[in-house]
Amino acid sequence: MTSTAVGEPRFVDVLGGTLIVGGKSIPIEPETTALIVREGADDFPEDSVVRIPIHDRKVSEIHAELTVTRDGVRIRDLRSTNGTVVDGVPVTEAFLRKGHRIRVGETELQFLPAAAATTVDLETDETFPPLVGTASSMRKFYRKLSRVAPTEFTVLVTGETGTGKELVAQAIHEASRRAKGPYVVIDCGAINLSLAESLLFGHKKGAYTGAADRQPSPFEDADGGTLFLDEIGELPLETQSRLLRVLQERQVKSVGDNFYRRVDVRIIAATRRNLEKEVNEGRFRVDLFHRLMVLQVQVPPLRDRLDDIPALVELFTRKLGHEGAFARISHESLLQMTTYDWPGNVRELLNVVARGLAFAPDVGPIHLELPKAGANPLEEQANTYPVALLAFKRAYWTNVHTLCGGKYKNMVSLAGLSKTAISKHLAVLGLSKDSKG
């Protein structure tokens, strides 16, 4: 995330441009990614991706990427077979200027910058630490968080179980003006009803039997910082009315005390429940609901960000103390993960990685097993992009492998790809090959 100090500009002017491809003009605009691909290559479902198909067998399936940055339009070669050349110079990454000519395969393209600049919000970066992911849904989520974090308003974080609401709350705190202040967490779902008021608001010495010392309220502990009320939808009704006063007045009275203490805290709450439904069914106070719903952010479920799975798996292998293990995880395992709908979200993914590492062999590839309980809805959706793509590739390469008797030389001739490229496809799909071919 780009941090923007008070008084600094929040916006920047950027120049997009136009790519001339065979006499056709293709705009390269901010907040989109343009991919140079071989004509007939797989489609991309994201609205933010523009495909530039090139009818040239020497152009790789996904050859290069064009993005508008603060420094201009950047072209990046995506490890293509034949490389990307700008004005006669092979490049892995370059910024395009007026009149630049680009060669991909045997095709020449021309770039022309836009005549006028476009104003883009600085808060559109693809990261929001410590959150991980660059999928389209996450980039939109980061943008919302970047607007929410600098404010002092109460925030309600919603989302399905296992999406990482606690981490989102921490990220908001760390990106706020209170980042150097305390960050205190209360798990409302674990609060015993008989001790709820004492645990939330503290108690005076001698307030009840066993209260040998004064217990300060978590609101006092969080003074000058942020208080995170996790799973607030589980809070007993009897306690909700007292919480409402704290949120309204920023004053807290401990059990047994006769006076209120003023506190300076920002409140972030989270719930997996539908609070509107809870209000309608009498389990949540409507006035507390409105006090919490000043700003709401909803965490995307993992099924809406399947492209982030490799990055998350790599992160989990390191967090679980298996540095370097990601390189051993089979490509087939990662592909299969994009065909699963992940009802338990990121937490379920973490459990899958943990199990795989626990039973991993000392050497060789690590295979991560998906949960087998219940049917997987995505298996029945043949038009789902990752499922259809994997099914097509498996059918195609199985057929090529069979027709060519596993001989590399024959497969190179039939598929029109290099031996290295074919080897990668076969390895990902777990197909055997003739190493001598």
Side-chain angles (χ1 to χ4, degrees), residues 108-160:
E108 185 171 272
L109 321 173
Q110 185 178 9
F111 175 78
L112 299 175
T118 300
T119 300
V120 176
D121 196 330
L122 282 175
E123 298 170 335
T124 58
D125 288 357
E126 295 185 354
T127 60
F128 198 96
L131 305 180
V132 171
T134 57
S136 176
S137 61
M138 289 302 287
R139 294 199 303 270
K140 292 176 183 177
F141 186 57
Y142 297 156
R143 193 177 313 164
K144 191 167 189 177
L145 293 183
S146 69
R147 293 189 173 103
V148 166
T151 73
E152 289 292 307
F153 295 123
T154 297
V155 182
L156 179 65
V157 183
T158 59
E160 299 174 10

Side-chain angles (χ1 to χ4, degrees), residues 202-215:
H203 60 254
K204 181 182 177 181
K205 180 180 178 179
Y208 54 85
T209 303
D213 297 297
R214 178 180 180 271
Q215 176 64 47

Side-chain angles (χ1 to χ4, degrees), residues 165-166 185-189 228-233 268-271:
K165 296 183 289 293
E166 314 93 313
V185 179
I186 299 177
D187 183 358
C188 298
F228 175 46
L229 299 170
D230 195 15
E231 292 300 348
I232 196 168
I268 301 177
T271 182

Side-chain angles (χ1 to χ4, degrees), residues 306-318:
L306 295 173
D307 288 347
D308 288 336
I309 285 178
L312 290 167
V313 171
E314 183 177 15
L315 173 69
F316 293 154
T317 57
R318 287 188 278 107

